[in-house]
Amino acid sequence: MEEKNTLHILWTTGDVDTSLHMVLMYASRCMAYHLWDKVVVILWGASDKLAAENQQVQEAMQVAMHEGVTFTACVACARQLGLVEPLEALGVDLIGWGPPLTKILKNNEALLTV
């Protein structure tokens, strides 16, 4: 699926502190310090709502995007939560993540789940 030097971060928490000081900070620093060639943050569930509603989180996402972090989300979850438009406006790519996530897991690719 992706190169071996790609980190996927599955971001499921709606906790602001964990999101800002772990998920988004680590993703940004990984790209800024060239720790990974590519970092893909996958929003799923509570993180969808947090990203759509919290300005501090949105600002941290913009910083991460500036560093080269890619943001994507499960389209089915975004639809169920009524967050398709807000997430797309933030630059989040919406796709069906079930099969790709399964492939990442089966291939033992780098995946951090928060």
Side-chain angles (χ1 to χ4, degrees), residues 11-13 20-21 23 25 27 32 40 42 48-49 63 65 75 81 86 90 97 103 108 110 114:
W11 177 19
T12 63
T13 185
L20 290 173
H21 303 292
V23 175
M25 181 185 289
V40 178
I42 307 162
D48 289 1
K49 187 171 182 180
V63 169
M65 286 179 191
V75 67
L81 293 169
L90 292 171
W97 260 102
K103 187 173 182 180
N108 293 316
V114 182

Side-chain angles (χ1 to χ4, degrees), residues 49-105:
K49 187 171 182 180
L50 181 65
E53 297 176 354
N54 186 292
Q55 185 175 352
Q56 219 180 348
V57 168
Q58 292 169 4
E59 290 169 3
M61 288 174 67
Q62 291 302 314
V63 169
M65 286 179 191
H66 180 74
E67 293 292 346
V69 175
T70 301
F71 286 86
T72 182
C74 175
V75 67
C77 190
R79 283 183 188 136
Q80 290 171 4
L81 293 169
L83 297 172
V84 170
E85 289 181 16
L87 291 174
E88 287 179 336
L90 292 171
V92 177
D93 184 37
L94 300 176
I95 66 168
W97 260 102
L101 180 60
T102 301
K103 187 173 182 180
I104 289 166
L105 293 167

Side-chain angles (χ1 to χ4, degrees), residues 11-51:
W11 177 19
T12 63
T13 185
D15 181 77
V16 175
D17 290 331
T18 301
S19 297
L20 290 173
H21 303 292
M22 193 293 141
V23 175
L24 298 168
M25 181 185 289
Y26 183 66
S28 293
R29 297 308 187 276
C30 282
M31 293 303 293
Y33 297 117
H34 309 289
L35 303 176
W36 295 90
D37 291 339
K38 187 172 183 181
V39 175
V40 178
V41 177
I42 307 162
L43 291 80
W44 204 316
S47 60
D48 289 1
K49 187 171 182 180
L50 181 65

